[in-house]
Amino acid sequence: MTSQSLKWRTRIGLTSAVFAFFLLLIIGSEFFTGRLIGPNFMAEANSAVTGNTNVGPHRKLLNQGNEVETNRIWGDKCSKSDIVINQGPTAPLPSGIPTYTVEIMNVCVSGCDISGIHLSCGWFSSARLINPRIFKRLHFDDCLVNDGKPLINGHTISFQYANTFRYPLSVSSVVC
């Protein structure tokens, strides 16, 4: 047997062993626990050890580069930059369509409640139904948040949408 052949057989053997290990981990978890390892496996394992029962699909979404510079003029009560939008991918629909969770937060430091929040949203659409009182497209590139009602200072409104791509969302106007 040549050294090249030996290296090739070793690589195939190691790859097969790693694949078998992960397959055994997944199938074995279902065999011993009655359920597959899910996306919250580590959180559930941690809760079993620490006793923390606050386990679920709760996770902080990272800002996706849509940060807005503060352009507040002295004495202004609020501005567009007091509304922060975070969105990130979540588990796809059973049909395979990707889903995204959007969080819209009022981070006004002067304690203001902001209403009439409009977002630039292109031809926003979703394969998953969204409550129109939370978020709806009025026209091209104009979406309304919270039915135009005030978003209380420090509060967050969130929803999920399903589409083959992520829509870029940004604040276009607010009413202070």
Side-chain angles (χ1 to χ4, degrees):
M1 199 179 319
T2 67
S3 69
Q4 186 68 18
S5 171
L6 184 61
K7 285 181 183 178
W8 181 250
R9 288 178 188 233
T10 304
R11 282 185 186 163
I12 291 175
L14 285 174
T15 304
S16 299
V18 169
F19 178 74
F21 172 76
F22 284 112
L23 191 60
L24 181 62
L25 180 67
I26 292 170
I27 293 173
S29 72
E30 183 178 21
F31 179 75
F32 292 112
T33 64
R35 61 189 174 93
L36 285 170
I37 293 177
N40 296 323
F41 172 72
M42 291 306 292
E44 291 168 0
N46 185 37
S47 71
V49 173
T50 63
N52 179 6
T53 58
N54 187 14
V55 177
H58 308 292
R59 59 182 166 227
K60 182 174 176 146
L61 299 176
L62 300 176
N63 201 349
Q64 299 292 324
N66 56 355
E67 297 168 15
V68 179
E69 286 188 36
T70 304
N71 55 358
R72 187 181 312 264
I73 299 173
W74 184 258
D76 277 355
K77 188 172 182 186
C78 72
S79 71
K80 293 189 314 184
S81 62
D82 290 321
I83 299 296
V84 175
I85 303 169
N86 291 326
Q87 70 171 306
T90 49
L93 294 178
S95 63
I97 300 173
T99 63
Y100 303 90
T101 297
V102 178
E103 294 178 338
I104 303 169
M105 298 173 278
N106 178 350
V107 295
C108 180
V109 293
S110 60
C112 49
D113 297 341
I114 302 174
S115 60
I117 302 168
H118 288 259
L119 304 185
S120 295
C121 58
W123 285 114
F124 182 88
S125 66
S126 176
R128 167 182 259 162
L129 186 63
I130 301 170
N131 184 343
R133 286 178 279 174
I134 292 176
F135 187 82
K136 67 180 166 188
R137 182 172 57 85
L138 302 174
H139 305 286
F140 169 73
D141 212 25
D142 183 19
C143 289
L144 183 64
V145 176
N146 202 26
D147 215 15
K149 296 175 184 159
L151 183 57
I152 307 299
N153 179 40
H155 284 212
T156 299
I157 195 165
S158 65
F159 63 92
Q160 287 188 342
Y161 70 92
N163 204 315
T164 54
F165 59 90
R166 179 180 169 267
Y167 281 97
L169 302 173
S170 61
V171 180
S172 58
S173 67
V174 297
V175 175
C176 297

